Amino acid sequence: MKIKVAILGASGYTALELIKILLRHPHAEIVALTTRQEMGAKMPHVADLHPSLRGLLDMPCELLAAPRLATKGTQCVFSCLPHGVSMHTVPELLDRGMRVIDLSADYRLRDPNVYAQWYGESHSDLAHLAQAVYGLPEMYREEIAAAPLVANPGCYPQSAVLGLIPVVAGGLIDTSAIIVDSKSGVSGAGRTPKLSTHFPECNESVSAYNVGAHRHTPEIEQTLIDLSGDPVQVLFTPHLVPMNRGILSTIYAVPRRPVSVERVRDLYREYYARNPFVRVVPHPPATKDVVGTNFCDISVHIVRDRLVVLSCLDNLLRGASGVAVQNFNIMYGFPETAGLL
């Protein structure tokens, strides 16, 4: 059985990774690609947007029209549209019976007031916002399986939350004093050119940005609150590093009581034993260990009675397109690793 899928916003990095995964997926058939980028008087061929796909996928892009996607028999839509755009597009797709995996932030934050505070605009689709399931398989697998709308998680939040799930769920740390220090490759800023990611600006330089004001902060806190049931306060600082892709997060937390590193490592191994894309490793992970994969590598340490967790993933795959396909697999009852291993 093959599920007919469409990808909206086909010009970006996440769309390219999705296409590459779905082309080798045994249970997926790409039937439509949409883009708002016209080339002269005609719509571009996918190979015009992504030359690496030449000879692999012979498909022109088209303008987004829900009725046309329906006539193609589209069953599942991957939306790679920007924040603030998805929420105006998703309702009609759902109304026409398509399931949606949204890679923007539009359906991640359950409280519309929090969304407005951090994204600077009111949410226009409150009905579906209340129904959306956060797409982190390690926490919400059962809900994802039945969901018509999955809010694919952000890349930074995954590196942070996956690094903390076992100790937060087990009540081992003070959730009011969590520090997450993250470094990301430049592709995390997307494909649209901007001054901060212009090569002469970011090469040979490391810089922090959005200090105390990054939009992923409430997403991290919301997910950890689901685990703990207690208030959570995260001090999150992202940094841009001069590499193409990858995220390394160093997480600091205060244990509620003395605990040995062996016990904590056993806790992580036990929790993630049934999760195919989280690897608990004995050594500090590096971005090269995970780039090109859907794995998140985690190592755990106790330093001066503090918990130090290192969490590492590919921001374009595990951080976006890879976990989107993982969610797709769960939604349709396929092996969770289909197309990803």
Side-chain angles (χ1 to χ4, degrees):
M1 178 179 69
K2 289 205 171 188
I3 302 299
K4 293 184 177 182
V5 304
I7 299 172
L8 315 184
S11 64
Y13 293 137
T14 55
L16 171 60
E17 297 297 337
L18 269 173
I19 292 168
K20 290 192 292 186
I21 296 169
L22 293 172
L23 283 175
R24 65 175 183 260
H25 197 292
H27 304 294
E29 178 188 357
I30 301 172
V31 296
L33 302 170
T34 77
T35 183
R36 298 180 295 173
Q37 292 192 9
E38 298 185 21
M39 299 185 72
K42 65 174 185 176
M43 295 299 294
H45 189 280
V46 66
D48 297 328
L49 298 174
H50 304 293
S52 63
L53 295 176
R54 196 171 303 279
L56 298 177
L57 179 61
D58 184 12
M59 183 173 289
C61 296
E62 57 191 80
L63 292 173
L64 171 58
R68 181 168 170 79
L69 294 182
T71 63
K72 292 173 179 282
T74 304
Q75 297 164 274
C76 185
V77 174
F78 292 88
S79 177
C80 302
L81 299 173
H83 312 315
V85 176
S86 274
M87 62 181 166
H88 298 292
T89 304
V90 164
E92 186 176 2
L93 300 173
L94 294 171
D95 290 344
R96 290 180 177 272
M98 301 175 219
R99 300 176 83 178
V100 177
I101 300 169
D102 181 35
L103 279 77
S104 84
D106 282 359
Y107 293 93
R108 295 175 189 163
L109 298 174
R110 299 187 195 108
D111 186 336
N113 295 319
V114 175
Y115 180 88
Q117 175 187 347
W118 289 86
Y119 286 87
E121 60 182 305
S122 298
H123 206 289
S124 64
D125 186 21
L126 299 183
H128 293 118
L129 177 64
Q131 300 169 9
V133 172
Y134 190 66
L136 187 66
E138 290 77 10
M139 281 184 60
Y140 306 98
R141 188 173 277 107
E142 292 184 6
E143 294 90 339
I144 292 167
L149 171 60
V150 171
N152 217 55
C155 51
Y156 279 131
Q158 288 188 77
S159 70
V161 172
L162 290 173
L164 286 164
I165 287 176
V167 287
V168 171
L172 265 65
I173 64 168
D174 180 357
T175 56
S176 68
I178 298 171
I179 296 173
V180 179
D181 181 294
S182 298
K183 278 81 173 176
S184 176
V186 182
S187 60
R191 198 178 185 188
T192 303
K194 49 186 76 74
L195 180 61
S196 62
T197 57
H198 187 42
F199 182 81
E201 300 292 332
C202 65
N203 187 46
E204 300 290 348
S205 178
V206 177
S207 59
Y209 63 100
N210 291 342
V211 178
H214 196 280
R215 293 167 169 178
H216 282 168
T217 302
E219 185 179 339
I220 296 169
E221 292 180 341
Q222 172 182 271
T223 311
L224 294 178
I225 288 170
D226 281 355
L227 277 169
S228 69
D230 297 323
V232 172
Q233 188 170 50
V234 175
L235 182 59
F236 170 57
T237 306
H239 300 75
L240 186 69
V241 298
M243 61 185 185
N244 289 340
R245 57 204 291 175
I247 287 177
L248 176 65
S249 290
T250 305
I251 304 163
Y252 304 92
V254 180
R256 294 185 188 273
R257 55 188 178 275
V259 63
S260 71
V261 70
E262 291 80 11
R263 173 67 190 114
V264 179
R265 286 173 179 168
D266 285 344
L267 182 67
Y268 275 73
R269 293 188 190 101
E270 290 165 9
Y271 188 93
Y272 288 122
R274 296 174 298 280
N275 292 277
F277 290 111
V278 179
R279 302 186 296 198
V280 181
V281 298
H283 53 81
T287 54
K288 285 188 176 181
D289 300 339
V290 295
V291 164
T293 80
N294 196 51
F295 290 112
C296 177
D297 282 4
I298 295 171
S299 71
V300 185
H301 311 266
I302 299 291
V303 181
R304 295 186 175 181
D305 299 324
R306 299 292 190 272
L307 178 69
V308 180
V309 181
L310 300 167
S311 176
C312 195
L313 54 78
D314 183 326
N315 57 292
L316 295 180
L317 286 174
R318 176 65 220 219
S321 303
V323 76
V325 174
Q326 189 178 352
N327 285 322
F328 169 80
N329 290 336
I330 295 169
M331 292 165 73
Y332 288 95
F334 302 133
E336 202 160 321
T337 57
L340 296 168
L341 287 180

